[in-house]
Amino acid sequence: RNTPTLGIVSSGDGKNDTYTGENLRAQIVGFDSTFMEITYDGISDLKGGELWVYALNAGEYRITLALKDSDNYRWSDNVSLDGGKAVIVWSVAKKKVAVPTADTRVYVVNGKTLVYFPNGFDENVMGIDGNTTGYGGNHQVTVYLLDPDNYEWESGGTSSFVFVWQVVGGETVFAIVTSVFGGLAFAAGVCALVQFVGHKRRLKMM
């Protein structure tokens, strides 16, 4: 007999080749319960002559079909067999997640706890460490996937990403402000000196 096939939907309603967080289902097209029986570790449902199998997580699911009367029936030659049984593999891919990008805003110590989140951070699928501080300096912030079994980065893989978060200390700000005011004071002094010299010259001319 011809081997039943797995109905894979790659887009739109009923998409069943990628993890969604909800139960996916796929139809075993061509299954005939009169001649065949199924072995499947997950949930299967036979109604109205249609056989459906269900999966939740990303991974590979093995569906085995056996002929009830193997003495009088056999699978067609193009069937993948294991111990005389037809094998169908259902592959459910991990869901792709966009990699966050660095938040390049300037953070300044202000006496309160500062909190850093990279752009695109999604607390529903990502975790974060090292993103709070009250001190200046360079801090390492680690972003990771909460469920690497079912999610992966769009760039590939499930490894954590590390961002360098720069926090400007209060003393640095003070030094910059002092420098600015010092420059202004110097400029004001030069201006006053020029005015004083000009005034003396005018007195001599008189």
Side-chain angles (χ1 to χ4, degrees):
R1 297 193 67 86
N2 292 326
T3 310
T5 57
L6 188 66
I8 296 298
V9 181
S10 299
S11 62
D13 293 340
K15 179 177 170 63
N16 59 10
D17 63 351
T18 304
Y19 174 79
T20 64
E22 299 180 355
N23 268 322
L24 306 175
R25 72 171 192 165
Q27 184 180 3
I28 307 295
V29 181
F31 179 82
D32 189 336
S33 60
T34 304
F35 303 100
M36 308 169 192
E37 55 187 8
I38 181 175
T39 300
Y40 179 57
D41 288 339
I43 299 172
S44 60
D45 185 24
L46 179 62
K47 287 184 179 179
E50 293 184 348
L51 176 63
W52 294 83
V53 290
Y54 297 81
L56 175 61
N57 297 312
E60 289 195 343
Y61 295 84
R62 182 184 174 94
I63 303 155
T64 303
L65 302 173
L67 292 170
K68 291 181 177 180
D69 185 2
S70 57
D71 292 333
N72 294 304
Y73 294 91
R74 69 179 182 85
W75 297 110
S76 57
D77 293 337
N78 62 340
V79 176
S80 175
L81 298 177
D82 183 1
K85 298 178 181 180
V87 177
I88 300 174
V89 177
W90 180 12
S91 296
V92 177
K94 296 180 180 181
K95 186 174 182 177
K96 299 284 187 179
V97 178
V99 178
T101 58
D103 179 359
T104 56
R105 291 178 297 172
V106 176
Y107 287 77
V108 180
V109 171
N110 59 7
K112 299 179 181 179
T113 299
L114 301 173
V115 182
Y116 174 92
F117 287 103
N119 298 316
F121 178 81
D122 185 347
E123 64 181 4
N124 294 311
V125 297
M126 303 173 196
I128 190 167
D129 290 329
N131 68 322
T132 61
T133 188
Y135 302 96
N138 291 331
H139 307 274
Q140 287 194 341
V141 179
T142 303
V143 174
Y144 56 92
L145 292 169
L146 293 173
D147 184 5
D149 291 333
N150 288 308
Y151 291 89
E152 65 181 358
W153 302 115
E154 283 185 348
S155 56
T158 58
S159 298
S160 300
F161 282 88
V162 176
F163 298 87
V164 176
W165 173 29
Q166 185 176 25
V167 178
V168 178
E171 66 280 1
T172 304
V173 176
F174 177 76
I176 294 173
V177 171
T178 301
S179 176
V180 170
F181 278 106
L184 291 174
F186 175 76
V190 170
C191 182
L193 177 62
V194 170
Q195 290 178 348
F196 175 73
V197 172
H199 178 68
K200 290 186 67 176
R201 286 179 177 176
R202 285 197 298 271
L203 289 176
K204 287 181 178 181
M205 292 175 65
M206 291 173 64

Short mmCIF file of all heavy atoms in Angstrom, two decimals, residues 69-108:
data_model
loop_
_atom_site.label_atom_id
_atom_site.label_comp_id
_atom_site.label_asym_id
_atom_site.label_seq_id
_atom_site.Cartn_x
_atom_site.Cartn_y
_atom_site.Cartn_z
N ASP A 69 -2.60 -6.43 8.33
CA ASP A 69 -2.48 -7.74 7.67
C ASP A 69 -1.24 -7.73 6.79
O ASP A 69 -1.31 -7.58 5.58
CB ASP A 69 -3.73 -8.02 6.84
CG ASP A 69 -3.71 -9.43 6.22
OD1 ASP A 69 -2.75 -10.18 6.48
OD2 ASP A 69 -4.64 -9.75 5.47
N SER A 70 -0.09 -7.86 7.45
CA SER A 70 1.16 -7.81 6.70
C SER A 70 1.40 -9.07 5.86
O SER A 70 2.31 -9.09 5.03
CB SER A 70 2.33 -7.62 7.67
OG SER A 70 2.36 -8.65 8.64
N ASP A 71 0.61 -10.10 6.06
CA ASP A 71 0.75 -11.31 5.25
C ASP A 71 0.19 -11.11 3.85
O ASP A 71 0.66 -11.73 2.89
CB ASP A 71 0.01 -12.49 5.91
CG ASP A 71 0.68 -12.93 7.21
OD1 ASP A 71 1.90 -12.73 7.34
OD2 ASP A 71 -0.03 -13.44 8.09
N ASN A 72 -0.77 -10.23 3.73
CA ASN A 72 -1.42 -10.03 2.44
C ASN A 72 -1.22 -8.64 1.85
O ASN A 72 -1.58 -8.39 0.69
CB ASN A 72 -2.92 -10.30 2.56
CG ASN A 72 -3.21 -11.76 2.86
OD1 ASN A 72 -2.79 -12.67 2.13
ND2 ASN A 72 -3.92 -12.01 3.97
N TYR A 73 -0.64 -7.75 2.65
CA TYR A 73 -0.39 -6.38 2.17
C TYR A 73 1.05 -6.00 2.49
O TYR A 73 1.64 -6.49 3.46
CB TYR A 73 -1.34 -5.38 2.83
CG TYR A 73 -2.79 -5.56 2.46
CD1 TYR A 73 -3.63 -6.38 3.23
CD2 TYR A 73 -3.32 -4.92 1.36
CE1 TYR A 73 -4.97 -6.54 2.90
CE2 TYR A 73 -4.66 -5.07 1.02
CZ TYR A 73 -5.48 -5.88 1.80
OH TYR A 73 -6.80 -6.04 1.47
N ARG A 74 1.58 -5.12 1.66
CA ARG A 74 2.92 -4.59 1.93
C ARG A 74 2.96 -3.15 1.49
O ARG A 74 2.16 -2.70 0.65
CB ARG A 74 3.99 -5.41 1.22
CG ARG A 74 4.00 -5.27 -0.29
CD ARG A 74 5.13 -6.09 -0.91
NE ARG A 74 5.20 -5.93 -2.37
CZ ARG A 74 5.85 -4.95 -2.99
NH1 ARG A 74 6.50 -4.03 -2.26
NH2 ARG A 74 5.87 -4.89 -4.30
N TRP A 75 3.93 -2.43 2.06
CA TRP A 75 4.10 -1.02 1.70
C TRP A 75 4.72 -0.91 0.31
O TRP A 75 5.43 -1.82 -0.12
CB TRP A 75 4.97 -0.29 2.71
CG TRP A 75 4.41 -0.24 4.11
CD1 TRP A 75 4.87 -0.90 5.20
CD2 TRP A 75 3.28 0.50 4.54
NE1 TRP A 75 4.11 -0.62 6.30
CE2 TRP A 75 3.11 0.25 5.94
CE3 TRP A 75 2.37 1.36 3.91
CZ2 TRP A 75 2.10 0.83 6.69
CZ3 TRP A 75 1.36 1.94 4.67
CH2 TRP A 75 1.23 1.68 6.03
N SER A 76 4.47 0.19 -0.36
CA SER A 76 5.09 0.42 -1.67
C SER A 76 6.60 0.58 -1.50
O SER A 76 7.11 0.83 -0.41
CB SER A 76 4.49 1.66 -2.35
OG SER A 76 4.63 2.80 -1.53
N ASP A 77 7.33 0.48 -2.59
CA ASP A 77 8.79 0.42 -2.53
C ASP A 77 9.46 1.72 -2.06
O ASP A 77 10.59 1.71 -1.61
CB ASP A 77 9.35 0.06 -3.92
CG ASP A 77 8.98 -1.36 -4.32
OD1 ASP A 77 8.71 -2.18 -3.41
OD2 ASP A 77 8.94 -1.64 -5.53
N ASN A 78 8.76 2.84 -2.18
CA ASN A 78 9.39 4.13 -1.82
C ASN A 78 9.15 4.51 -0.36
O ASN A 78 9.38 5.64 0.05
CB ASN A 78 8.86 5.26 -2.72
CG ASN A 78 7.36 5.45 -2.56
OD1 ASN A 78 6.67 4.55 -2.08
ND2 ASN A 78 6.86 6.61 -2.98
N VAL A 79 8.70 3.56 0.44
CA VAL A 79 8.38 3.85 1.83
C VAL A 79 9.59 3.66 2.73
O VAL A 79 10.36 2.71 2.58
CB VAL A 79 7.23 2.92 2.30
CG1 VAL A 79 6.95 3.15 3.78
CG2 VAL A 79 5.99 3.16 1.48
N SER A 80 9.76 4.59 3.68
CA SER A 80 10.82 4.45 4.68
C SER A 80 10.33 3.52 5.78
O SER A 80 9.33 3.80 6.45
CB SER A 80 11.16 5.83 5.27
OG SER A 80 12.09 5.72 6.31
N LEU A 81 11.02 2.39 5.93
CA LEU A 81 10.57 1.36 6.86
C LEU A 81 11.52 1.19 8.03
O LEU A 81 12.72 1.42 7.92
CB LEU A 81 10.42 0.03 6.14
CG LEU A 81 9.41 -0.04 4.99
CD1 LEU A 81 9.47 -1.42 4.33
CD2 LEU A 81 8.01 0.25 5.49
N ASP A 82 10.95 0.78 9.14
CA ASP A 82 11.72 0.42 10.33
C ASP A 82 11.04 -0.80 10.94
O ASP A 82 9.96 -0.68 11.51
CB ASP A 82 11.76 1.58 11.32
CG ASP A 82 12.62 1.26 12.55
OD1 ASP A 82 13.20 0.15 12.60
OD2 ASP A 82 12.69 2.11 13.45
N GLY A 83 11.68 -1.94 10.78
CA GLY A 83 11.08 -3.18 11.29
C GLY A 83 9.78 -3.53 10.58
O GLY A 83 8.87 -4.07 11.22
N GLY A 84 9.68 -3.21 9.31
CA GLY A 84 8.48 -3.50 8.54
C GLY A 84 7.38 -2.46 8.70
O GLY A 84 6.32 -2.59 8.08
N LYS A 85 7.62 -1.44 9.51
CA LYS A 85 6.62 -0.40 9.72
C LYS A 85 7.03 0.89 9.01
O LYS A 85 8.21 1.22 8.95
CB LYS A 85 6.43 -0.14 11.22
CG LYS A 85 5.94 -1.35 11.99
CD LYS A 85 5.83 -1.03 13.49
CE LYS A 85 5.35 -2.25 14.27
NZ LYS A 85 5.23 -1.97 15.72
N ALA A 86 6.03 1.59 8.49
CA ALA A 86 6.30 2.85 7.81
C ALA A 86 6.54 3.95 8.86
O ALA A 86 5.86 3.99 9.89
CB ALA A 86 5.12 3.23 6.92
N VAL A 87 7.50 4.80 8.57
CA VAL A 87 7.88 5.85 9.52
C VAL A 87 7.72 7.22 8.87
O VAL A 87 8.21 7.47 7.78
CB VAL A 87 9.33 5.67 10.01
CG1 VAL A 87 9.71 6.82 10.94
CG2 VAL A 87 9.49 4.33 10.71
N ILE A 88 7.02 8.09 9.56
CA ILE A 88 6.88 9.49 9.14
C ILE A 88 7.46 10.36 10.26
O ILE A 88 7.17 10.15 11.44
CB ILE A 88 5.39 9.86 8.93
CG1 ILE A 88 4.77 8.98 7.84
CG2 ILE A 88 5.26 11.33 8.55
CD1 ILE A 88 3.27 9.20 7.68
N VAL A 89 8.28 11.35 9.88
CA VAL A 89 8.88 12.25 10.87
C VAL A 89 8.31 13.65 10.67
O VAL A 89 8.33 14.22 9.58
CB VAL A 89 10.43 12.28 10.73
CG1 VAL A 89 11.02 13.29 11.71
CG2 VAL A 89 11.00 10.90 10.98
N TRP A 90 7.79 14.19 11.75
CA TRP A 90 7.23 15.55 11.75
C TRP A 90 8.23 16.46 12.46
O TRP A 90 8.51 16.31 13.64
CB TRP A 90 5.90 15.53 12.48
CG TRP A 90 5.18 16.84 12.59
CD1 TRP A 90 5.46 18.00 11.93
CD2 TRP A 90 4.04 17.13 13.41
NE1 TRP A 90 4.57 18.99 12.28
CE2 TRP A 90 3.69 18.48 13.17
CE3 TRP A 90 3.29 16.36 14.31
CZ2 TRP A 90 2.62 19.09 13.82
CZ3 TRP A 90 2.23 16.97 14.95
CH2 TRP A 90 1.88 18.31 14.72
N SER A 91 8.76 17.42 11.71
CA SER A 91 9.75 18.35 12.27
C SER A 91 9.10 19.69 12.59
O SER A 91 8.52 20.33 11.70
CB SER A 91 10.91 18.57 11.29
OG SER A 91 11.62 17.37 11.08
N VAL A 92 9.20 20.10 13.84
CA VAL A 92 8.67 21.40 14.28
C VAL A 92 9.87 22.28 14.63
O VAL A 92 10.64 21.96 15.54
CB VAL A 92 7.74 21.24 15.50
CG1 VAL A 92 7.27 22.62 15.98
CG2 VAL A 92 6.56 20.35 15.16
N ALA A 93 10.02 23.37 13.90
CA ALA A 93 11.18 24.25 14.08
C ALA A 93 10.99 25.17 15.28
O ALA A 93 9.87 25.45 15.72
CB ALA A 93 11.39 25.09 12.83
N LYS A 94 12.11 25.67 15.80
CA LYS A 94 12.05 26.66 16.87
C LYS A 94 11.58 28.00 16.29
O LYS A 94 11.79 28.30 15.12
CB LYS A 94 13.44 26.85 17.50
CG LYS A 94 13.98 25.61 18.20
CD LYS A 94 15.35 25.88 18.79
CE LYS A 94 15.90 24.64 19.50
NZ LYS A 94 17.22 24.89 20.11
N LYS A 95 10.96 28.79 17.14
CA LYS A 95 10.50 30.10 16.71
C LYS A 95 11.66 31.08 16.72
O LYS A 95 12.45 31.12 17.66
CB LYS A 95 9.39 30.62 17.64
CG LYS A 95 8.76 31.92 17.16
CD LYS A 95 7.57 32.30 18.03
CE LYS A 95 6.92 33.58 17.52
NZ LYS A 95 5.72 33.94 18.31
N LYS A 96 11.78 31.88 15.66
CA LYS A 96 12.86 32.84 15.54
C LYS A 96 12.57 34.11 16.35
O LYS A 96 11.44 34.59 16.38
CB LYS A 96 13.07 33.23 14.08
CG LYS A 96 13.45 32.08 13.16
CD LYS A 96 14.90 31.68 13.34
CE LYS A 96 15.32 30.65 12.30
NZ LYS A 96 16.75 30.27 12.46
N VAL A 97 13.60 34.63 17.00
CA VAL A 97 13.48 35.84 17.81
C VAL A 97 14.54 36.84 17.37
O VAL A 97 15.71 36.49 17.21
CB VAL A 97 13.66 35.52 19.31
CG1 VAL A 97 13.58 36.79 20.14
CG2 VAL A 97 12.62 34.52 19.77
N ALA A 98 14.11 38.10 17.17
CA ALA A 98 15.06 39.14 16.77
C ALA A 98 16.03 39.43 17.91
O ALA A 98 15.63 39.50 19.08
CB ALA A 98 14.32 40.41 16.37
N VAL A 99 17.29 39.60 17.56
CA VAL A 99 18.32 39.91 18.57
C VAL A 99 18.19 41.38 18.98
O VAL A 99 18.13 42.27 18.14
CB VAL A 99 19.73 39.65 18.00
CG1 VAL A 99 20.79 40.02 19.03
CG2 VAL A 99 19.86 38.21 17.56
N PRO A 100 18.15 41.66 20.30
CA PRO A 100 18.09 43.06 20.74
C PRO A 100 19.34 43.82 20.32
O PRO A 100 20.39 43.23 20.05
CB PRO A 100 18.02 42.94 22.27
CG PRO A 100 17.57 41.55 22.54
CD PRO A 100 18.12 40.72 21.42
N THR A 101 19.22 45.14 20.27
CA THR A 101 20.37 45.99 19.94
C THR A 101 20.67 46.92 21.12
O THR A 101 19.80 47.20 21.94
CB THR A 101 20.09 46.83 18.68
OG1 THR A 101 18.91 47.64 18.90
CG2 THR A 101 19.87 45.94 17.47
N ALA A 102 21.89 47.41 21.17
CA ALA A 102 22.34 48.20 22.31
C ALA A 102 21.57 49.52 22.43
O ALA A 102 21.26 50.17 21.43
CB ALA A 102 23.83 48.49 22.18
N ASP A 103 21.25 49.87 23.66
CA ASP A 103 20.69 51.18 23.97
C ASP A 103 21.87 52.12 24.19
O ASP A 103 22.62 51.96 25.14
CB ASP A 103 19.82 51.09 25.23
CG ASP A 103 19.23 52.43 25.63
OD1 ASP A 103 19.50 53.44 24.95
OD2 ASP A 103 18.50 52.48 26.64
N THR A 104 22.03 53.09 23.30
CA THR A 104 23.23 53.94 23.33
C THR A 104 23.00 55.26 24.08
O THR A 104 23.85 56.15 24.04
CB THR A 104 23.69 54.26 21.90
OG1 THR A 104 22.62 54.87 21.17
CG2 THR A 104 24.11 52.97 21.18
N ARG A 105 21.89 55.38 24.77
CA ARG A 105 21.67 56.60 25.56
C ARG A 105 22.71 56.72 26.68
O ARG A 105 23.23 55.71 27.15
CB ARG A 105 20.26 56.59 26.17
CG ARG A 105 19.13 56.74 25.17
CD ARG A 105 17.78 56.68 25.87
NE ARG A 105 17.58 55.38 26.51
CZ ARG A 105 16.55 55.11 27.31
NH1 ARG A 105 15.66 56.05 27.59
NH2 ARG A 105 16.42 53.91 27.84
N VAL A 106 22.97 57.96 27.10
CA VAL A 106 23.94 58.20 28.17
C VAL A 106 23.22 58.09 29.51
O VAL A 106 22.23 58.78 29.77
CB VAL A 106 24.59 59.59 28.04
CG1 VAL A 106 25.51 59.85 29.23
CG2 VAL A 106 25.34 59.70 26.73
N TYR A 107 23.72 57.19 30.36
CA TYR A 107 23.17 57.03 31.71
C TYR A 107 24.10 57.71 32.69
O TYR A 107 25.32 57.56 32.61
CB TYR A 107 23.04 55.55 32.06
CG TYR A 107 21.92 54.83 31.34
CD1 TYR A 107 22.05 54.44 30.01
CD2 TYR A 107 20.72 54.54 32.00
CE1 TYR A 107 21.02 53.78 29.35
CE2 TYR A 107 19.69 53.88 31.35
CZ TYR A 107 19.85 53.50 30.02
OH TYR A 107 18.83 52.85 29.37
N VAL A 108 23.52 58.46 33.63
CA VAL A 108 24.32 59.23 34.59
C VAL A 108 23.89 58.87 36.01
O VAL A 108 22.69 58.76 36.30
CB VAL A 108 24.14 60.75 34.37
CG1 VAL A 108 24.97 61.53 35.38
CG2 VAL A 108 24.51 61.12 32.94
#
